[in-house]
Amino acid sequence: MHIPINQVSDVGNAILAVRKESGVRQDDAAGSAGVSHVFLRDLERGKETVQFGRVLRVLEELGIRMVLEIPSTAEARFLALSGKPSPNPSAGEDTERKDPM
């Protein structure tokens, strides 16, 4: 299921739903993710100031994958910044960089 994320409470509700459906107690899930039960409670309630790195740890622990959809116009710049090769170079495009001098 894909869920549009527009606010922290959207992430919190998804985490709560997955955790409850898995039958995992809040303190157990928090301990497994390396965060406090207070942090997880705040996250599940949609607290706006949660630390993003910790959110990612909770998501990973619960098996929730987060994907960002960026405009195609920013793809090349993102790949260059992240050091990742382009997955599908355009047909016929010269993929080697040439020294301008």
Side-chain angles (χ1 to χ4, degrees):
M1 172 179 195
H2 291 99
I3 302 169
I5 302 298
N6 298 305
Q7 51 196 8
V8 177
S9 63
D10 295 334
V11 176
N13 287 333
I15 287 170
L16 178 60
V18 170
R19 181 180 64 76
K20 290 279 193 177
E21 197 59 33
S22 300
V24 178
R25 294 180 349 174
Q26 192 176 63
D27 59 338
D28 290 336
S32 294
V35 300
S36 72
H37 73 280
V38 173
F39 175 83
L40 184 54
R41 180 199 64 206
D42 289 347
L43 175 57
E44 289 180 347
R45 291 180 179 176
K47 184 176 179 182
E48 294 287 329
T49 58
V50 293
Q51 293 179 4
F52 194 63
R54 291 182 180 182
V55 172
L56 294 176
R57 288 202 313 249
V58 171
L59 292 172
E60 182 178 358
E61 184 61 33
L62 293 173
I64 301 171
R65 192 176 118 197
M66 180 181 281
V67 177
L68 299 177
E69 186 175 323
I70 65 172
S72 59
T73 55
E75 182 180 358
R77 185 173 303 268
F78 167 77
L79 293 171
L81 289 169
S82 65
K84 297 179 180 179
S86 179
N88 297 319
S90 300
E93 182 181 301
D94 184 3
T95 57
E96 287 185 33
R97 293 186 183 208
K98 295 186 180 177
D99 190 1
M101 294 198 177

